[in-house]
Amino acid sequence: MVSAPARPAARAVVACVVDPEMPMLTLDDLGVVRSVETDGDAVTVTITPTYSGCPAVAEMSADLRAALTAAGYGPVQVRTVLAPAWSTDWISDDGRRKLAEAGLAPPGAAPRPAPGPVPLTLAGPATVVRCPRCGSPATEELSRFGPTACTALRRCTECREPFEHMKEI
Amino acid sequence: MSPHAEEEDATNAYQSLSETAGIDDPRWAFGSGFEDVEAEIEAPLPAGVDAADLAEYCLMLGDDALVCAQRIAEWVSNAPELEEEVALANTALDLLGQARVLLSRAGHVEGAGRDEDALAYLRSEAQYRNVALAERGDDLDFGVAIARLLVFTTWRLALMSRLLDSRDPVVAAVAAKAVKELTYHREHAARWAVRLGDGTDESHRRMQAGLEAVWPFVEELFRTTDVERRLVAVGVAVDPADTRAEVDAVLDQVLAAATLTRPDRAPMGLLGGRGGRQGVHTEALGHVLATMQSLARAHPGATW
């Protein structure tokens, strides 16, 4: 009888890979890993991009391949699927906690689109975003577009600290 | 640190870069270079859909996004403030992401072995299918840039929200992501239009001038092509004429809040009944493509 190679399960290897832009989160926490399938040594990982233009997808694929190859798997294929579209609702509770601990305000509930034309809101969003440092609800948006596609820039008017907020989509 | 040590460090930095990239993970000097499989791209052609029509339709939607993204990206390193530069770059990236999938789908459905890079970098003006609005330059005038972005995103959001149920799975998947993204892009453009229009005399004048500059290109957005007509009948496309009421209502909402006036400008005409969708473009597209394609054409297949 041949003993099984001493290597962690592919799913466990994938679970440890972190997001290239927000390394406090694993890809699992972010909710972009859709499936991990093994066939002997071969592994197929299916991920979904956060935004169409997310430049980190190529890095995610490379990191997944590197981690699985280092763990003794191969060939490794990373597939991306677009549907269903990623939503910030897929970020795990653990992921939300880690975001807040890293000073990044986690997203609230994603908007549920009603059928028909998408209404245009000219006023700022009514949702309250608490400062991840002091907890104050008195924060204001500086820019809708932060350093990564998925974040916005805000400032706390109590402790005066700027911070990033993960946009609800 | 001695000059020699610096030189060594620089060499090491390049070495470690190439080691990180690895032998089987080349970085392209241009284009995506992504070898990962986009699962949906290879989805079978929906029953009753003509492959040439679908390829053409994906080019239309993809070229709109690609060319507009290239125009918006001209603001990178030229924006009035850092936050705005990041906003415009992110917007362009999202449009580019939509274009990549649509061009890949067009190439797959066409079945002639052309991938997204071949379609983006190796087609001439007459082979592009975008509307003229997307290629309209702004000479780094922020009023024109915001006017173009407002009209373009308002129209594209109206299109995409009607394509969520397209029978082509790739078009539907792109639409689902695009609706979320374009909602942000449109809001961004609309809020700038209000800030500028309802701002100082000078900002009002510049925003109004921006609208006047892009207005001749609005009419083309609602012209229906034969390809679209055939694809509407099989549940793949939407008739762009159906988006006019929504686009008008949204623009009216913004113009009212911004104290701007709806321009009264004659639409740009067609040439022998043909426009951007048939490959007849303004001179501007040649400039866009010259910038976008020069590296790829000078160094075919270059990697680093």
Side-chain angles (χ1 to χ4, degrees), chain A residues 75-150:
Chain A
V76 178
Q77 193 189 41
V78 181
R79 301 159 73 240
T80 56
V81 290
L82 297 172
W86 179 80
S87 161
T88 40
D89 286 351
W90 295 357
I91 298 174
S92 66
D93 289 343
D94 219 24
R96 286 164 200 273
R97 182 182 52 76
K98 290 178 193 168
L99 281 173
E101 281 170 9
L104 216 153
R112 296 261 166 259
V118 183
L120 170 66
T121 45
L122 287 172
T127 50
V128 173
V129 179
R130 285 187 175 274
C131 172
R133 296 183 194 279
C134 74
S136 166
T139 66
E140 61 188 7
E141 189 174 87
L142 295 178
S143 174
R144 232 58 244 269
F145 296 84
T148 71
C150 47

Side-chain angles (χ1 to χ4, degrees), chain A residues 12-87:
Chain A
V13 175
V14 169
C16 293
V17 177
V18 298
D19 180 76
E21 301 265 14
M22 292 179 290
M24 73 292 277
L25 294 187
T26 64
L27 296 183
D28 254 356
D29 288 332
L30 192 58
V32 298
V33 178
R34 308 312 310 278
S35 69
V36 180
E37 287 160 28
T38 52
D39 179 9
D41 289 343
V43 184
T44 302
V45 184
T46 304
I47 60 173
T48 187
T50 52
Y51 284 72
S52 294
C54 180
V57 173
E59 289 306 316
M60 290 180 189
S61 302
D63 292 349
L64 284 166
R65 268 197 300 273
L68 285 162
T69 306
Y73 289 95
V76 178
Q77 193 189 41
V78 181
R79 301 159 73 240
T80 56
V81 290
L82 297 172
W86 179 80
S87 161

Side-chain angles (χ1 to χ4, degrees), chain B residues 4-64:
Chain B
H4 180 68
E6 266 176 30
E7 193 179 306
E8 216 167 53
D9 264 15
T11 316
N12 286 343
Y14 283 118
Q15 255 168 10
S16 66
L17 252 183
S18 59
E19 276 161 15
T20 312
I23 298 159
D24 58 347
D25 186 25
R27 303 304 162 98
W28 288 56
F30 63 88
S32 62
F34 302 155
E35 288 170 12
D36 299 326
V37 181
E38 285 268 10
E40 287 108 336
I41 298 299
E42 298 178 354
L45 197 66
V49 175
D50 181 75
D53 279 352
L54 179 57
E56 182 88 356
Y57 190 56
C58 288
L59 282 186
M60 293 179 189
L61 296 174
D63 287 348
D64 287 344

Side-chain angles (χ1 to χ4, degrees), chain B residues 81-117:
Chain B
E81 57 188 24
L82 185 59
E83 287 81 0
E84 189 51 30
E85 180 147 318
V86 171
L88 291 171
N90 271 325
T91 301
L93 266 178
D94 282 340
L95 291 172
L96 186 61
Q98 296 167 23
R100 288 190 46 215
V101 178
L102 288 162
L103 261 54
S104 296
R105 179 63 167 166
H108 176 76
V109 171
E110 179 193 53
R114 292 197 288 181
D115 63 5
E116 52 175 303
D117 288 341

